[in-house]
């Protein structure tokens, strides 16, 4: 394969989100706006009822149906306990690798990225995705290590917006943040002890805002990389905000600056 | 009882939140910062283990322990299926009736209230409470009719901030909104079809922002009362935001405007 061919193939797989579960797969197959790569079924499935509907829906759209052993399917779904013998590769048009994003970045307008540093609750992740997609976030830095994977619970909690969200994938966060810094980004962590108010901070450069774990906050490794630490002012002795709420405030903090 | 005595008593009960469940009651009894009115136990409870701990904790703090039939307790807890035979009256210092709030309102600064119009998910309610308490919301208009009641799930989802939140109680919302209007408030509903951008709207008068039901939005009765309809701009074809996220953006919209 040519170098370009290899790069294209890698970019294609960076856009792939593997769903599992019978109902989520059927809903996705029936959504004509979603491109799908393949439907994966375990040999152990009985071919009737909803499995029959899945096969029909895939065949009608010309999507390949691949059959696997239970063990192989669990490797594909990454959740053998909950996959119900079904996985589906969905192609998300706005997903790409961090490297691919940075290499083609050509914007005079300061970029605002949001990064996930140990977000494990799919409900929170779904809300973060929804608000980031709706608000002014150019990319959501999603490390495979340390965060819950994009799966059916996240799709549901995101009200289906995950498929269209600008997700930037990477193996682990600290390395990806350093990569961003080399491309002129400032790393801004949200930390409750920080002195600078998020709403007073008006970045003139590219910026990655980092959201920490729901309980422990930003990891020390990531905190050490930060050029800027920000906090959100709180009344009534409230000590912290929900992480998805914090994400939303970041996503809309620039509204007035930009008009 | 004198008229003043009666009014004081009513104000006291407006501040009362009745929790149910063994663990939530024990946690609240052990929080010295929380004033408690009475611990209610069903006769059916076995007096050992956690029930013993509840009685000890109440007696140590001089909080009356009242015993009831299972049926009476269900009336007190309003959730006989999940109360585990235990209810606890907590006094929340910032709770009051809408009428009490309006009658004593004496502020040159424009007030910002947030009103709940059919919010039934306790997880969302908890996040709304937490963000309203942290942000710039002077009162949270909470009608008993149409919304989930403030209970243990809301307390948990609010990260304990419900006890300190400025909750304004009322029997039903439309009447309370008309009461606010008679005191110089504008009613602003959040509706996705509205033309005016929340972030461009800078109220100079007192304002009640109304959050509608998670699925159906603001009720038609309330929508008809609105002087102003507002929406939040959304990118990437996202059609709506989570209601708690919307609440947070309202709670901090004044900060974003001020920059």
């Amino acid at each position: 394969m040519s170098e370009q061919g290899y790069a294209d193939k890698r970019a294609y797989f960076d856009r792939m989100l593997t769903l599992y579960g019978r109902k989520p797969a059927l809903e996705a197959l029936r959504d004509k706006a979603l491109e799908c790569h393949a439907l994966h079924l375990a040999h152990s499935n009985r071919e009737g009822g909803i499995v029959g509907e899945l096969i029909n829906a895939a065949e009608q759209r010309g999507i390949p149906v691949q059959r696997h052993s239970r063990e192989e399917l669990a490797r594909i779904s990454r959740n053998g306990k909950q996959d119900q013998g079904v996985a589906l590769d969905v192609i998300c048009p706005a997903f790409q690798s961090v490297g691919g994003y940075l290499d083609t970045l050509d914007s005079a307008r300061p970029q605002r990225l949001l990064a996930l540093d140990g977000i494990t609750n799919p409900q929170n992740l779904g809300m973060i995705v929804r608000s980031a997609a709706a608000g002014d976030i150019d990319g959501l830095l999603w490390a495979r290590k340390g965060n819950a994977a994009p799966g059916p619970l996240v799709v549901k909690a995101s009200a289906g917006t995950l498929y269209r969200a600008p997700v930037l994938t990477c193996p682990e966060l600290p390395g990806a943040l350093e990569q961003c810094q080399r491309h002129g980004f400032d790393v801004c962590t949200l930390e409750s002890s920080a002195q600078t108010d998020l709403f007073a901070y008006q970045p003139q450069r590219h910026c990655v805002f980092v959201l920490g774990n729901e309980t422990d906050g930003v990891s020390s490794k990531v905190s050490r990389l930060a050029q800027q630490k920000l906090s959100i002012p709180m009344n009534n002795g409230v000590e912290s905000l929900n992480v998805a709420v914090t994400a939303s405030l970041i996503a809309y903090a620039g509204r007035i600056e930009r008009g």
Side-chain angles (χ1 to χ4, degrees), chain A residues 26-107:
Chain A
L26 192 59
E27 280 173 10
L29 281 171
R30 283 178 173 165
D31 181 344
K32 297 277 160 60
L34 282 184
E35 186 188 341
C36 299
H37 172 71
L39 172 66
H40 304 275
L41 299 175
H43 290 306
S44 55
N45 286 313
R46 289 200 197 156
E47 305 233 342
I50 192 166
V51 173
E53 288 181 66
L54 283 163
I55 295 170
N56 279 342
E59 286 178 348
Q60 269 175 25
R61 294 188 53 190
I63 295 160
V65 180
Q66 297 173 8
R67 288 177 171 78
H68 310 270
S69 71
R70 199 71 204 78
E71 294 69 34
E72 281 166 345
L73 192 92
R75 261 199 300 279
I76 292 167
S77 72
R78 297 191 201 181
N79 193 337
K81 282 193 187 158
Q82 290 175 33
D83 64 25
Q84 305 174 302
V86 174
L88 176 72
D89 300 323
V90 176
I91 305 301
C92 302
F95 278 36
Q96 61 179 321
S97 70
V98 174
Y101 163 79
L102 291 172
D103 286 345
T104 57
L105 179 61
D106 175 28
S107 172

Side-chain angles (χ1 to χ4, degrees), chain A residues 9-233:
Chain A
K9 191 166 178 186
R10 206 177 53 180
Y12 181 81
F13 284 102
D14 283 332
R15 294 201 301 276
M16 207 161 84
L17 183 161
T18 300
L19 274 187
Y20 54 81
R22 293 172 176 195
K23 220 169 147 229
L26 192 59
E27 280 173 10
L29 281 171
R30 283 178 173 165
D31 181 344
K32 297 277 160 60
L34 282 184
E35 186 188 341
C36 299
H37 172 71
L39 172 66
H40 304 275
L41 299 175
H43 290 306
S44 55
N45 286 313
R46 289 200 197 156
E47 305 233 342
I50 192 166
V51 173
E53 288 181 66
L54 283 163
I55 295 170
N56 279 342
E59 286 178 348
Q60 269 175 25
R61 294 188 53 190
I63 295 160
V65 180
Q66 297 173 8
R67 288 177 171 78
H68 310 270
S69 71
R70 199 71 204 78
E71 294 69 34
E72 281 166 345
L73 192 92
R75 261 199 300 279
I76 292 167
S77 72
R78 297 191 201 181
N79 193 337
K81 282 193 187 158
Q82 290 175 33
D83 64 25
Q84 305 174 302
V86 174
L88 176 72
D89 300 323
V90 176
I91 305 301
C92 302
F95 278 36
Q96 61 179 321
S97 70
V98 174
Y101 163 79
L102 291 172
D103 286 345
T104 57
L105 179 61
D106 175 28
S107 172
R109 181 174 60 78
Q111 297 280 293
R112 291 173 90 94
L113 305 184
L114 198 59
L116 310 171
D117 184 21
I119 315 287
T120 53
N121 180 319
Q123 199 66 32
N124 283 338
L125 279 167
M127 275 197 287
I128 292 170
V129 166
R130 188 173 170 189
S131 299
D136 300 323
I137 296 297
D138 298 293
L140 184 58
L141 235 160
W142 197 316
R144 280 182 284 278
K145 188 176 164 188
N147 301 297
L153 292 173
V154 178
V155 169
K156 193 167 179 219
S158 79
T161 57
L162 179 57
Y163 300 128
R164 294 188 296 269
V167 170
L168 307 179
T169 53
C170 59
E172 43 86 43
L173 188 59
L177 291 175
E178 286 171 332
Q179 225 178 327
C180 289
Q181 286 175 319
R182 286 194 297 272
H183 281 77
F185 279 76
D186 281 343
V187 170
C188 303
T189 50
L190 273 287
E191 304 191 32
S192 56
S193 61
Q195 296 300 308
T196 307
D197 180 335
L198 166 70
F199 303 110
Y201 179 66
Q202 307 202 357
Q204 303 302 316
R205 286 157 52 92
H206 299 325
C207 226
V208 195
F209 295 90
V210 186
L211 299 169
N213 172 269
E214 290 94 333
T215 308
D216 303 324
V218 171
S219 63
S220 56
K221 204 165 175 183
V222 165
S223 182
R224 277 196 298 273
L225 289 174
Q227 275 107 331
Q228 183 72 53
K229 299 180 183 192
L230 301 169
S231 63
I232 295 170

